[in-house]
Amino acid sequence: MQTGEIIIYQSQNGQTSIDVRLEKETVWLTLNQLATLFNRDKSVISRHISNVFKESELASNSVVAKNATTGPDGKTYQVEHFNLDVIISVGYRVKSPQGTQFRIWANKVLKDYLVKGYAVNERRLKEQSQQLEQLKQTVKLLGNVLENQPLNSDQASGLLKVITDYTYALDVLDQYDHQVLEIKETTKEEFFRINYEEAMAAINGLRDKFGGSSLFGNEKDGSFQGSLAVIYQTFDGEDLYRSVEEKAACLLYFVIKNHSFSDGNKRIAAFLFVWFLEKNRLLYKEDGSRRIADNALVALTLMIAESKPEEMEMMVKVVVNLINLRN
């Protein structure tokens, strides 16, 4: 199997295991590959897939993609590829020894995720919270030292630099903790309004430059156009998102959350975000330095991807406060 790969086997201790080769964010298999995976005739697999769509278990436009494939005769054909959602659905329907092994494995993974994954996520959140609290306490202690202990000029300068350099960041965190984060010191003047045609051309250029798969930037539905349209929504004749920073933050949020493409959603969202800022002359500060660093961009993208829908407003405010004129 060449596009994605799943191999079911039994490990030495007798446990059912699966080797998976991922293509970016998911696995894509053809009908032939699915038939090989579950050791059933193509007609059987095809019937199961049809039933999955007929029973509205999945929507075909979001889990099926056509990809150019070279056949044995040397000609190029458009072949349907099915993603991991379809593979799992078929795995729970097909009757074969391989299908049974797949279900045993899937049930074990699900149980481990629900039981162990929750504990891991809880521990990670606690660790992050502790680290944030430690940072706040450190800066507070530094402030106390400055107030209560006479220091030489070098010591005082060093402590003062730490506090002044991170005052804004800690202030943003404090406002976030108390849910009072506001949007302020933003830019009203627009030099660029993003549209669908230019955005798709930029995405295609990104794929060509970095050698993405043919599924990179492949639209699954019309939600991407909706993501672009929503940032220019108006209410009573006024823009709902009034500043360039708000529009940029919403662009990042909606492209990530709508998952409009078969592959590369987070990379596309991050790219369009910085591209939009650059076009609006906000990506770089007056001294030529970037307004948002690589690691901050990655952190924001992942934070939004993991956020809950009801946290959207706060996520947008966090992004705005990290790219506004104070930063």
Side-chain angles (χ1 to χ4, degrees), residues 73-231:
D73 57 1
K75 295 181 180 179
T76 300
Y77 300 91
Q78 291 294 322
V79 178
E80 285 187 330
H81 288 71
F82 305 92
N83 79 354
L84 187 57
D85 293 326
V86 178
I87 297 165
I88 292 172
S89 294
V90 171
Y92 273 96
R93 292 168 179 262
V94 70
K95 290 182 173 60
S96 71
Q98 284 83 349
T100 301
Q101 284 185 296
F102 183 89
R103 288 186 287 275
I104 291 171
W105 171 82
N107 288 338
K108 182 179 183 302
V109 169
L110 179 60
K111 182 180 178 182
D112 285 348
Y113 178 79
L114 291 175
V115 176
K116 298 178 183 177
Y118 175 78
V120 169
N121 287 334
E122 281 289 289
R123 186 174 68 250
R124 185 177 300 161
L125 287 173
K126 288 179 182 177
E127 289 173 352
Q128 291 172 343
S129 177
Q130 290 169 355
Q131 290 170 357
L132 174 58
E133 195 58 38
Q134 288 170 2
L135 178 59
K136 288 183 178 180
Q137 290 301 320
T138 299
V139 175
K140 183 178 179 181
L141 287 172
L142 290 174
N144 292 338
V145 169
L146 282 176
E147 290 178 3
N148 303 319
Q149 181 178 337
L151 302 173
N152 63 42
S153 60
D154 288 341
Q155 290 173 321
S157 297
L159 290 172
L160 184 61
K161 186 178 190 308
V162 170
I163 292 175
T164 55
D165 282 354
Y166 292 97
T167 295
Y168 178 67
L170 292 170
D171 186 45
V172 170
L173 289 171
D174 185 63
Q175 291 178 51
Y176 177 86
D177 281 347
H178 293 92
Q179 298 293 293
V180 293
L181 200 57
E182 298 178 350
I183 291 176
K184 52 190 176 183
E185 298 192 50
T186 53
T187 308
K188 297 294 187 290
E189 184 180 8
E190 293 182 74
F191 293 95
F192 172 72
R193 290 176 70 88
I194 192 169
N195 62 57
Y196 174 74
E197 289 74 18
E198 286 183 276
M200 286 305 302
I203 292 168
N204 291 332
L206 181 67
R207 180 183 60 235
D208 295 340
K209 182 174 179 59
F210 291 101
S213 72
S214 57
L215 295 172
F216 182 92
N218 175 60
E219 291 183 87
K220 297 190 295 187
D221 48 37
S223 61
F224 178 57
Q225 294 190 55
S227 298
L228 299 181
V230 74
I231 69 174

